[in-house]
């Protein structure tokens, strides 16, 4: 059965996003043009503009799909891995799941996040995109930390509360830490995951 028009449209959109992802990572924000994306995706330039509107909108969707792993409009806290974190009864096991979830996301998205972070210094709209991403990551970690406090009987290490635990988790599980160890120092993502889980446990649990 031949693909429907809607299926063809989705495939074309996915092809453009894949091409943009690759080019942004290889060349950076400034050196990647809409024309480059169109050529790599084998579509017309106007197709890119019609689908996304601007190059910034392309980068935003590339980032969103890299973080999520798909293009479905499902919030992070409603995704199965996040639900598993919240449902896990053990505080220590929850932190291990948080590290595993962060690893899965960062393996897909760390390079794109670095493109956004680097471009944010010179582009106010991308600076806002970076700030939004930071706030979203903190919001997720705050919800996880609230659950962690409950599982730990309200007693985290050194009397830490959910807000301070979220700050620690956001820093340890952030793209900057991942990039400095995995991208710059050549750690395997599995090694980073184990280190992150151990560091969270040592910092947050008694």
């Amino acid at each position: 059965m031949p693909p429907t028009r809607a299926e063809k449209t989705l495939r074309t959109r996915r092809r453009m996003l894949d091409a943009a992802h690759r080019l942004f990572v290889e060349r950076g924000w400034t050196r990647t043009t809409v024309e480059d994306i169109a050529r790599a995706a084998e579509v017309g330039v106007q197709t890119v503009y019609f689908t996304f509107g601007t190059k910034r909108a392309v980068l935003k969707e590339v980032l969103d799909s890299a973080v999520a792993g798909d293009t479905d409009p499902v919030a992070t806290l409603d995704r199965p891995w996040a639900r598993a974190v919240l449902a896990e009864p053990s505080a220590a096991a929850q932190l291990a799941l948080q590290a595993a979830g962060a690893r899965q996301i960062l393996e897909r998205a760390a390079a794109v996040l670095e493109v956004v972070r680097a471009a944010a210094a010179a582009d106010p709209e991308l600076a806002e995109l970076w700030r939004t991403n930071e706030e979203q990551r903190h919001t997720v970690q705050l919800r996880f930390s609230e659950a962690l406090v409950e599982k730990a009987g309200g007693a985290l290490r050194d009397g830490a509360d959910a807000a301070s635990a979220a700050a620690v988790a956001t820093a340890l599980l952030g793209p900057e830490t991942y990039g400095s160890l995995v991208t710059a120092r050549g750690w395997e993502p599995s090694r980073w995951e184990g280190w992150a889980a151990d560091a969270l446990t040592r910092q947050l649990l008694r």
Side-chain angles (χ1 to χ4, degrees), residues 10 32 36 47 56 74 76 81 90 92 94 116-118 126-128 136 139 162 168 173 175-176 180 188 196 202 204:
L10 286 174
T32 300
D36 294 332
T47 300
R56 291 184 184 87
V74 180
T76 299
W81 77 269
S90 163
Q94 174 186 318
V116 177
R117 188 200 63 76
L126 294 183
E128 181 60 29
Q136 289 171 338
T139 296
V168 169
L173 302 179
E176 300 91 344
S180 68
E188 289 295 324
R202 290 174 181 272
L204 299 179

Side-chain angles (χ1 to χ4, degrees), residues 65-66 74 122-123 144:
S65 61
V74 180
D123 189 304
F144 289 164

Side-chain angles (χ1 to χ4, degrees), residues 68 70-80 83:
D70 55 50
T71 56
D72 298 336
V74 180
T76 299
L77 288 170
D78 290 328
R79 290 184 172 270
R83 290 182 175 275

Side-chain angles (χ1 to χ4, degrees), residues 15-100:
R15 198 163 69 247
M16 289 187 285
L17 289 173
D18 288 344
H21 187 148
R22 184 176 70 256
L23 290 170
F24 283 134
V25 170
E26 290 176 355
R27 302 181 182 181
W29 165 254
T30 303
R31 295 179 57 215
T32 300
T33 67
V34 172
E35 289 76 11
D36 294 332
I37 295 168
R39 189 179 306 112
E42 299 182 338
V43 299
V45 173
Q46 288 306 314
T47 300
V48 180
Y49 281 117
F50 178 79
T51 304
F52 300 102
T54 66
K55 189 173 83 164
R56 291 184 184 87
V58 177
L59 181 55
K60 181 182 184 303
E61 189 156 338
V62 166
L63 177 59
D64 289 345
S65 61
V67 169
D70 55 50
T71 56
D72 298 336
V74 180
T76 299
L77 288 170
D78 290 328
R79 290 184 172 270
W81 77 269
R83 290 182 175 275
V85 169
L86 294 171
E88 170 56 51
S90 163
Q94 174 186 318
L95 293 176
L97 288 176
Q98 285 177 235

Side-chain angles (χ1 to χ4, degrees), residues 4-18:
T4 65
R5 183 174 180 179
E7 288 172 336
K8 289 181 179 179
T9 299
L10 286 174
R11 289 178 186 176
T12 301
R13 187 186 196 96
R14 182 71 261 172
R15 198 163 69 247
M16 289 187 285
L17 289 173
D18 288 344

Side-chain angles (χ1 to χ4, degrees), residues 178-190:
Y178 181 90
S180 68
L181 294 175
V182 176
T183 306
R185 299 301 175 190
W187 281 26
E188 289 295 324
S190 59

